[in-house]
């Protein structure tokens, strides 16, 4: 069997030759004596046109095929320069493998993204989702390629952990399943000392702390895996299960960290534009008509760098009526982030040196005693796609910060030992993979860039 992608990439060499393809019917049109099938074989975003006529013994059956039926076609590939399709297959034989019914939900008409979410098992067959999930796959590959080419070691950090990296909000707790037998304390709480792990565990919110242990052995490392946050916020940018890429680099400061992030984002965009031109064309035409301009602009510009304090000044002086008025010390909201990237700079912006009180315990305290060496990368259309920092390597400063926040040293003993045994300056960040895909495709809801989205009340599939 020949894959349709091979034919598209090298049509000349297939011209006039016998081919055999298999796939799913997207449309059938017929007149009395001949007909056309748009076939998608899954290997490529685009369809191939099949021409058939009444010389086929099952001509009648073929004209009655429902959308999504699966067939195997043998015939001659004919180049048709000048026609709407650059080539078509003149069928000699069509075998019907699996029929479908007229109730098939994905008929030719356009469907809303909201509707398609309710049929997550079928939506990969639509053009939009075919493009999204091909781009998602390629972007993942581009990320591995970027880090591997630079000698980074890929570390698989645990999904089930006994620590909380971010202290940012609710986590999913892990306990053994048999609820009747779950051991309870006299107060009725779950008794974790009797549980599988003999302690309280949760699904990881970030692989960072474990990645740090590897960075202090391998120097340059990265993780790429699922992370979990029990976010109740029902937004277009938050999911309870999302994938994160977390590089961690020894001997690197905040500047090095930003340079790596900027190079990585540009690399991903360039790679996907070059390797998924048909899909990207589709997004630029049907999803976000400013997409190419924006992506090209990003690849060719230097990202802006401003401090949190400067960002607050800009927002205060903007005269803009924000839902959340801006004060130094508050966390920037999406409306603020978008104002900065979309109205002021019109390109990606690193905001650095946030107040320590709105950031995680591990971020390195700056000399002013009030801010930490944090960096968030904000991009037009999406807002924050990356959060990172230089890490606190000074044991005494770190311990003091943990005390202030009420974190127990015993719980982080291994993390603290990294500061005792050859501790060094080091930095890293986390890229939200779905946010990156939204940015790449122009899709505006996180539910539409992950195959089976997990948001509040949504775990049907
Ligand atoms: O800013 P965050 O919380 O940073 C960390 O977790 C650090 N430990 C990363 C590090 O330094 N190694 O999350 C990083 C990124 C965010 O910028 C955002 O893109 C994404 O992860 N993210 C989410 N994406 C989808 N749904 C959610 N609920 C997300 N929460 C964070
Ligand atoms: Mg963040």
């Amino acid at each position: 069997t020949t894959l349709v992608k091979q034919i598209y990439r090298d049509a000349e060499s297939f011209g006039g030759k016998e081919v055999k393809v298999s796939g799913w019917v997207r449309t059938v049109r017929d007149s009395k004596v001949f007909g056309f099938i748009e076939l998608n074989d899954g290997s490529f975003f685009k369809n191939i046109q099949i021409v058939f006529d009444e010389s086929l013994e099952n001509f009648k059956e073929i004209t009655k095929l429902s959308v999504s039926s699966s067939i195997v076609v043998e015939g001659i590939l004919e180049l048709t320069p000048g026609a709407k399709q650059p080539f078509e297959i003149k069928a000699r034989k069509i075998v019907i493998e699996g029929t479908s019914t007229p109730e098939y939900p994905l008929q030719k008409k356009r469907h809303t993204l909201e509707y398609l979410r309710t049929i997550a098992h079928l939506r990969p067959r639509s053009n939009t989702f075919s493009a999204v999930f091909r781009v998602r796959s390629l972007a993942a590959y581009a990320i591995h390629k970027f880090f591997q080419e630079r000698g980074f070691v890929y570390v698989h950090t645990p999904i089930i952990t006994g620590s909380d990296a971010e202290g940012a909000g609710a986590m999913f707790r892990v306990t053994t399943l048999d609820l009747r037998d779950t051991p309870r304390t006299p107060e009725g709480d779950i008794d974790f000392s009797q549980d599988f792990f003999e302690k309280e565990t949760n699904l990881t919110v970030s692989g960072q702390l474990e990645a740090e242990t590897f960075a202090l052995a391998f120097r340059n490392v990265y993780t790429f895996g699922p992370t979990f946050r029990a976010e109740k916020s029902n937004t277009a940018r938050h999911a309870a299960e999302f994938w994160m890429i977390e590089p961690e680099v020894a001997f690197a400061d905040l500047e090095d960290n930003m340079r790596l992030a900027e190079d990585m984002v540009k690399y991903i965009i360039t790679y996907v534009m070059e390797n998924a031109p048909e899909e990207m064309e589709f997004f630029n035409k049907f999803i976000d008509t400013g997409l190419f301009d924006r992506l090209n602009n990003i690849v060719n510009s230097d990202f802006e760098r401003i401090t949190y304090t400067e960002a607050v000044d800009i927002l205060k002086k903007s005269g803009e009526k924000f839902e959340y008025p801006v004060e130094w010390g508050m966390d920037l909201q999406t409306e603020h982030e978008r104002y900065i990237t979309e109205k002021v700079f019109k390109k990606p912006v690193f905001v650095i040196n946030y107040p320590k009180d709105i950031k995680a315990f591990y971020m390195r305290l700056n000399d002013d005693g009030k801010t930490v060496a944090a960096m968030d990368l904000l991009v037009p259309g999406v807002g924050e796609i990356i959060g990172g920092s230089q890490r606190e390597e000074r044991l005494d400063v770190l311990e003091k910060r943990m005390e202030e926040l009420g974190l127990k040293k015993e719980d982080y003993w291994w993390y603290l030992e990294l500061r005792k045994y050859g501790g060094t300056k080091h930095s890293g960040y986390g890229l939200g993979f779905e946010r990156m895909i939204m940015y790449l495709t122009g899709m505006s809801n996180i539910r539409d860039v992950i195959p089976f989205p997990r948001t509040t009340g949504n775990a049907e599939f």
Side-chain angles (χ1 to χ4, degrees), residues 158-165 170-175 200-206 226-230 240-241:
I159 305 288
I160 300 173
T161 70
S163 62
D164 173 10
M171 298 184 290
F172 290 102
R173 181 181 273 178
V174 178
T175 67
E200 185 169 349
T201 53
N202 52 274
L203 296 181
T204 188
V205 296
S206 157
T227 49
F228 307 86
R229 297 185 189 185
E241 177 178 305

Side-chain angles (χ1 to χ4, degrees), residues 11-25:
E12 287 294 317
S13 78
F14 287 98
K17 300 224 174 84
E18 180 80 20
V19 292
K20 182 174 176 183
V21 298
S22 49
W24 294 270
V25 172

Side-chain angles (χ1 to χ4, degrees), residues 50-237:
I50 314 292
V51 194
F52 62 98
D53 62 29
E54 57 181 351
S55 67
L56 301 189
E57 55 173 30
N58 52 358
F59 177 75
K60 270 265 143 351
E61 273 174 83
I62 296 165
T63 58
K64 292 197 193 105
L65 278 178
S66 289
V67 178
S68 89
S69 301
S70 51
I71 57 173
V72 182
V73 181
E74 287 171 43
I76 304 287
L77 188 92
E78 288 193 346
L79 301 178
T80 50
K84 194 165 150 250
Q85 320 261 357
F87 43 78
E88 58 192 20
I89 296 174
K90 260 209 141 54
R92 204 167 41 70
K93 184 177 170 198
I94 297 181
V95 176
I96 300 166
E97 290 234 337
T99 53
S100 186
T101 68
E103 290 88 64
Y104 178 66
L106 280 178
Q107 300 296 334
K108 187 75 185 166
K109 76 179 177 92
R110 281 261 203 142
H111 296 284
T112 65
L113 296 172
E114 288 77 9
Y115 170 68
L116 291 170
R117 266 173 230 151
T118 67
I119 48 166
H121 60 307
L122 299 176
R123 69 177 183 170
R125 305 172 181 203
S126 69
N127 283 334
T128 304
F129 289 95
S130 166
V132 166
F133 295 124
R134 282 172 211 283
V135 163
R136 186 177 164 112
S137 164
L138 263 184
Y141 180 67
I143 288 165
H144 281 295
K145 197 158 141 56
F146 174 84
F147 285 114
Q148 296 283 340
E149 279 171 1
R150 282 160 188 74
F152 282 61
V153 173
Y154 179 28
V155 185
H156 297 109
T157 50
I159 305 288
I160 300 173
T161 70
S163 62
D164 173 10
E166 292 302 307
M171 298 184 290
F172 290 102
R173 181 181 273 178
V174 178
T175 67
T176 40
L177 188 62
D178 193 338
L179 292 174
R180 283 161 311 176
D181 283 355
T182 303
R184 302 277 166 173
T185 63
E187 293 76 42
D189 299 329
I190 295 172
D191 183 355
F192 286 104
S193 69
Q194 314 254 336
D195 204 54
F196 186 87
F197 293 108
E198 295 172 13
K199 77 172 293 224
E200 185 169 349
T201 53
N202 52 274
L203 296 181
T204 188
V205 296
S206 157
Q208 177 196 323
L209 303 190
E210 293 90 347
E212 279 185 57
T213 70
F214 271 67
L216 286 152
F218 293 90
R219 186 180 193 106
N220 296 338
V221 303
Y222 70 107
T223 70
F224 189 162
T227 49
F228 307 86
R229 297 185 189 185
E231 315 247 17
K232 282 272 168 59
S233 52
N234 192 19
T235 80
R237 309 176 319 135

Side-chain angles (χ1 to χ4, degrees), residues 6 8 10-11 17 75 81 88 163 168 217 278 305 313 354 360 366 382:
Q6 293 174 300
Y8 267 91
D10 191 14
K17 300 224 174 84
E88 58 192 20
S163 62
E278 290 83 4
R305 288 156 163 70
D313 282 345
Y354 281 78
N366 287 325
V382 182

Side-chain angles (χ1 to χ4, degrees), residues 166 206 208 229 231 239 244 246 384-387 391 430 432:
E166 292 302 307
S206 157
Q208 177 196 323
R229 297 185 189 185
E231 315 247 17
M244 192 153 49
E246 296 184 275
E384 176 192 337
I385 62 168
I386 285 178
R391 319 306 189 188

